[in-house]
Amino acid sequence: MKLKQLSVFLENKPGRLRELCALLADSGINMITISLADTEQFGILRLIVSDCEAAKAVLEEKGFVAKITEVIAVEVNDEPGGLRNVLQVEEAAGISVEYMYAFTIKSGENAVLLFRFDDMDKAVDALQTAGFKVLDSVALFNRADD
Amino acid sequence: MSKFVVENRIWDKEESLPRSDLAALQSSKLRKTVEQVQEVPFYQKKFAEAGLAAEKIQTLDDLQRLPFTTKADLRGEYPLGMLAVGKKDVARYHGSSGTTGQPTMVAYTHNDLKMWSNLCARFLTGGGLLPAHSVQIAFGYGLFTGGFGLHYGVERVGASIIPAAAGNTPKQLMLMMDMQVDALVCTPSYALNISEFIIQNDIPRNALNLKYAHFGGEPWTEDMRTRIEDEMGILCFNNYGLSEVIGPGVSGECAARDGMHIAEDAFIVECINPDTLEPVAPGEEGELVFTSLSKEAMPIIRYRTRDIASLNPEPCACGRTHIRMSRVTGRSDDMLIIKGVNVYPSQVEQALLRVEGTAPHYQIEVDRPDRKDIVTVKVEMTEESFSSSMKEMQELKDRINRAIQTITGLRMNIELVSPNSLERFIGKAQRVIDHRKKV
Ligand SMILES: [Zn+2]
């Protein structure tokens, strides 16, 4: 029930992000969502793409450092309290969030929250026990294509 | 600019010996030194390895047959393996400014100390010192040779000393004003601090009686000289030395201020290509190599200084016959002096090797934006060290920083950069970019 995320090291230099997007587009790789955590000097780009391994290979060939990391995708109603409910469950299970980001899927009402927890397996269990809809990649890509 | 003018004065007759007399003196002293070092097991071994008998060294032409001595050799002989006399004959010890761990210890007999203070008296006299002057010494007094070396040199000339030692700039200024000090002795970078303090505190120029300064202990530039001279209204003289050879006094500028006269009655200097080890043509840059001729406690044969400079054999207007060396323009091993501490790129490399997953590709950038040395180490990312978590990336930077601090004793900025973004070099890598040269 975990999802593959591609993380890319991005030095803060003009044109680096554009170069990366162009590389993926030229290779026919679709970006489902993208998030950038940055500092003054460098950033960490986190991507959910249609083909993680292919994207990694394309980027590495052009000198990027890329790594595949697992994240958890949770679908919640796009309404107040959606994130809080997830965090409550994880807090109760003693799990901490390393980072998270979110996107809304095309069809509208639902949001997908993407998480990296310190204990990924325990986090999935806790969420499923609490009745959350944890998406695998197939489900996520289907929802994104809706 | 300074209104102060230095008259041309020569301290002793050895400084202006005719070249032929000097060569004869060097030859006989070289034979003696080679004999002396036979007391040192390290040299016995070196001579044996080279299949060289001491009596085969007769003239200056034989010099090139002698083995080199390196810093690593000296480290290997820590603490006193290089001693050529008994410990009872040693009058004083000093040490090199190593950053961590063991310094390189050097020793002096009473005769050595006398000879050393005489060498310092020479360049101090060449650079304006008169017995009536008072001199503030703002060098560290300790293992470092700068403080004591200059101290006894000034004493030898017969001038008075304010041994202020390093640091505490407000107190330095107070002493300088209240004691109406004529001359300052320190590192050029410390002089910049003093000058800055004067400007910031609006100390009027006429509150000071300072006329000239003798700077050493680190490489500096003509631009820095112009700046300090303009800001402080004094004349600045350059001197050079290193503890392994003797300390300050190896060379110093005369009133002509066009190169530093090397005390050739006490040392033989060579300038070699650090790769081929062959001598370079006169005037060409190379690594300076010194052989001591007058030392008793720790005579040294062909010591590779790693300092890059050029030699000028042309006669000087001052009348001294001793050859002149240029400023030190670099290091053949990229050694850096940061805040007065010697740092080698190899130490940074060693630190990076201790941090798992960091690449051997790095570059060190040094700048002095606000008169303080700032060092940035650029480290290329690898898949192994990269993490999608910002917290882990910060921890990586902290780990690198701690490792560097443990080894060099200095805090450096860490910059993580893309793989292959640092320039690759064929052969010797340029690990260091020193922007301070522009100051
Ligand atoms: Zn001269």
Side-chain angles (χ1 to χ4, degrees), chain B residues 254 261 316 318 320:
Chain B
C254 62
H261 289 283
C316 181
C318 72
R320 285 174 183 80

Side-chain angles (χ1 to χ4, degrees), chain B residues 166-300:
Chain B
N168 196 346
T169 310
K171 195 171 171 193
Q172 298 277 0
L173 256 303
M174 183 193 79
L175 288 169
M176 221 177 283
M177 287 188 283
D178 295 351
M179 304 296 291
Q180 289 292 288
V181 167
D182 300 284
L184 172 67
V185 166
C186 61
T187 61
S189 55
Y190 191 58
L192 280 174
N193 287 355
I194 292 177
S195 179
E196 184 179 44
F197 187 90
I198 292 172
I199 295 165
Q200 278 174 356
N201 292 279
D202 292 322
I203 296 173
R205 184 62 191 88
N206 60 16
L208 293 163
N209 188 40
L210 201 65
K211 302 177 179 78
Y212 59 101
H214 284 271
F215 297 144
E218 63 185 13
W220 54 309
T221 60
E222 273 311 304
D223 289 346
M224 257 170 100
R225 163 140 64 192
T226 308
R227 180 164 159 186
I228 297 168
E229 290 192 338
D230 285 351
E231 287 182 2
M232 295 181 70
I234 58 172
L235 275 181
C236 301
F237 292 88
N238 194 11
N239 68 78
Y240 170 85
L242 60 172
S243 63
E244 296 84 353
V245 174
I246 196 157
V250 174
S251 71
E253 281 178 332
C254 62
R257 301 201 302 170
D258 184 17
M260 296 179 276
H261 289 283
I262 295 169
E264 282 188 284
D265 56 330
F267 311 102
I268 299 175
V269 64
E270 297 168 83
C271 190
I272 63 165
N273 176 320
D275 298 320
T276 64
L277 306 180
E278 293 297 319
V280 301
E284 233 173 75
E285 283 205 329
E287 180 182 330
L288 297 183
V289 173
F290 289 98
T291 300
S292 73
L293 296 174
S294 305
K295 280 171 84 182
E296 292 179 344
M298 276 193 185
I300 197 156

Side-chain angles (χ1 to χ4, degrees), chain B residues 28 87 273 360 399:
Chain B
S28 80
K87 270 184 88 173
N273 176 320
R399 275 204 306 280

Side-chain angles (χ1 to χ4, degrees), chain A residues 5 7-9 11 16 37-39 41-42 44 46 56 60 63 65-67 69 98-99, chain B residues 381-390 392-394 397 414-421:
Chain A
Q5 164 195 269
S7 316
V8 186
F9 175 81
E11 211 180 319
R16 268 315 251 179
D38 69 341
T39 66
Q41 189 249 315
F42 69 90
I44 302 168
R46 299 165 187 145
K56 183 171 185 278
E60 277 175 349
V65 168
K67 203 167 192 166
T69 322
E98 284 187 354
Y99 55 82
Chain B
M381 284 304 297
T382 61
E383 186 173 348
E384 197 188 346
S385 58
F386 176 56
S387 162
S388 66
S389 154
M390 192 54 90
E392 282 175 21
M393 293 289 275
Q394 294 297 352
K397 283 175 77 166
I414 309 301
E415 246 181 53
L416 302 175
V417 301
S418 304
N420 296 304
S421 65

Side-chain angles (χ1 to χ4, degrees), chain B residues 29-38 40 42-43 46-47 52 57 62-70 73-74 82 244-245 268 270 289-293 295 298-305:
Chain B
K29 282 184 158 191
L30 177 65
R31 283 194 294 274
K32 189 169 169 237
T33 296
V34 167
E35 214 171 282
Q36 278 172 292
V37 299
Q38 301 310 310
V40 181
F42 166 82
Y43 280 118
K46 279 255 179 180
F47 275 67
L52 194 65
I57 304 302
D62 297 325
L63 181 73
Q64 287 190 34
R65 300 169 62 190
L66 291 170
F68 287 104
T69 309
T70 65
D73 290 334
L74 300 187
M82 301 298 281
E244 296 84 353
V245 174
I268 299 175
E270 297 168 83
V289 173
F290 289 98
T291 300
S292 73
L293 296 174
K295 280 171 84 182
M298 276 193 185
I300 197 156
I301 303 283
R302 300 189 87 194
Y303 181 67
R304 290 191 60 184
T305 63

Side-chain angles (χ1 to χ4, degrees), chain A residues 20-73:
Chain A
L20 178 143
C21 293
L23 281 169
L24 294 183
D26 293 347
S27 310
I29 293 160
N30 207 6
M31 284 192 239
I32 315 289
T33 188
I34 183 168
S35 143
L36 179 68
D38 69 341
T39 66
E40 207 176 300
Q41 189 249 315
F42 69 90
I44 302 168
L45 193 67
R46 299 165 187 145
L47 304 144
I48 304 294
V49 292
S50 52
D51 187 340
C52 228
E53 269 84 13
K56 183 171 185 278
V58 164
L59 294 178
E60 277 175 349
E61 196 185 321
K62 292 291 174 189
F64 285 91
V65 168
K67 203 167 192 166
I68 295 173
T69 322
E70 287 182 324
V71 290
I72 294 171

